Amino acid sequence: MNRPLPVVVGVDGSEAALRAVDRAAEEAASRGAPLRLVYASRWGRYEGAALAGDLEGPPERVDAVEIVDSAARRARARRPEVPLAVVTVAEEPEYVLVRESRTAALLVTGSRGRGGIAEALLGSVSLTVAAHTHCPMIVVRPEHADRVRPYGRVVVGVGDGSATSAAVCFAAEEARRRGAVLEAVRASRQPARETPDAPPAVGDHPSAHELRAAEVLDKALCDLPAGVVARRRAAEGHTRTVLADASYAADLLVVGAERRHRPYGPHMGRVAHGVLHRSACPVAVVPGPE
């Protein structure tokens, strides 16, 4: 019998990372998977002062043992039945987490936004890893854990790229596991006219634009697992904005990560990048084909 792949969570001593540990423990329990806590000891060069602030001490006194012990205690208290492994590596955190993602079922990280404009920003490690991860990755902010109740809704963005299929499959499985409704959202901009000499749309007749959106949604949801309740929604507007707005009434927002290869390495598409900065709920980034 094959062992299930682990859920991996990056820890760094921050409150954001401890919230990520909570989420990772729950994800591992729901999958029947082990949990793997990973601490890269060079994390401090990125945000050492922030880590020290969370641990109530100066950077030079932030101790790796204290960080991993705190995270392990948190995970055991949350889900004592989940098998737990702790890994400390003297490497750059983004390299470690990307490497871990090759043999993981799921990667979970926290964000590092703090106050004002910073609340809309992610730390450099989370963004870098999201652009390179080999497995689905969930990014959690501390404020996400303060929600009063679940909404019973998983939202997935349906685009035209190669990552959409993987994102929908992941979102459908998350909805099944949670007993939630899957809402597939297709956002697009309405062209000024379907043809240069076409009259404005009148009455209830759908335009070619609307028919195309319905067709894409139907195709994306044609092979869902049994028991998953799905809703389709076509929306007018920029995809990043539509999905960010939808996140306010969702438990999880799922987006596909289209790889944009540039001279200095792969980067995420604008949609995934945008919702990671703006989502009001945890975001799952699902990589497309490599």
Side-chain angles (χ1 to χ4, degrees):
M1 181 176 179
N2 294 330
R3 294 182 178 180
L5 295 175
V7 172
V8 173
V9 58
V11 298
D12 63 5
S14 67
E15 178 62 24
L18 291 176
R19 297 289 192 179
V21 169
D22 291 342
R23 180 57 179 256
E26 295 294 339
E27 295 288 346
S30 72
R31 288 168 166 77
L35 179 62
R36 187 173 170 89
L37 305 181
V38 177
Y39 171 67
S41 60
R42 294 183 183 177
W43 216 304
R45 77 168 56 185
Y46 292 86
E47 298 171 287
L51 302 185
D54 287 338
L55 291 175
E56 299 181 355
E60 60 272 16
R61 295 181 61 184
V62 175
D63 183 73
V65 174
E66 182 180 357
I67 290 172
V68 296
D69 282 355
S70 176
R73 288 194 301 270
R74 181 101 168 203
R76 291 189 181 102
R78 185 84 178 195
R79 284 291 186 173
E81 76 278 15
V82 171
L84 179 65
V86 177
V87 179
T88 300
V89 185
E91 293 183 56
E92 308 292 349
E94 70 270 43
Y95 298 155
V96 173
L97 293 177
V98 171
R99 186 172 66 238
E100 289 280 339
S101 75
R102 290 183 178 275
T103 54
L106 179 70
L107 179 63
V108 183
T109 69
S111 68
R112 188 156 287 290
R114 280 184 172 79
I117 295 175
E119 289 180 354
L121 302 178
L122 290 175
S124 60
V125 172
S126 290
L127 275 178
T128 300
V129 176
H132 294 79
T133 183
H134 298 279
C135 72
M137 172 182 177
I138 293 180
V139 179
V140 184
R141 292 182 182 174
E143 61 268 27
H144 293 160
D146 296 331
R147 291 184 162 203
V148 176
R149 61 178 176 79
Y151 291 96
R153 188 167 72 130
V154 173
V155 173
V156 60
V158 175
D160 296 315
S162 59
T164 289
S165 179
V168 170
C169 287
F170 179 85
E173 181 59 25
E174 286 295 308
R176 185 199 63 76
R177 188 179 291 115
R178 300 159 184 264
V181 171
L182 174 65
E183 181 170 314
V185 178
R186 166 77 175 183
S188 56
R189 303 298 301 278
Q190 173 70 47
R193 293 284 180 87
E194 301 296 341
T195 62
D197 57 349
V202 178
D204 296 330
H205 298 290
S207 66
H209 177 74
E210 293 168 328
L211 290 172
R212 169 60 180 162
E215 178 185 329
V216 171
L217 286 168
D218 286 343
K219 182 178 179 180
L221 299 177
C222 68
D223 193 24
L224 294 180
V228 174
V229 177
R231 297 173 182 165
R232 298 156 174 79
R233 182 161 71 89
E236 171 72 16
H238 291 290
T239 304
R240 290 167 291 175
T241 302
V242 169
L243 293 179
D245 289 345
S247 73
Y248 282 88
D251 301 314
L252 182 68
L253 174 60
V254 182
V255 293
E258 301 293 346
R259 305 304 189 185
R260 309 299 188 195
H261 287 276
R262 298 177 180 177
Y264 43 89
H267 283 246
M268 288 180 294
R270 290 180 295 175
V271 171
H273 191 277
V275 298
L276 278 169
H277 283 289
R278 299 178 57 189
S279 177
C281 71
V283 176
V285 177
V286 182
E290 297 186 29

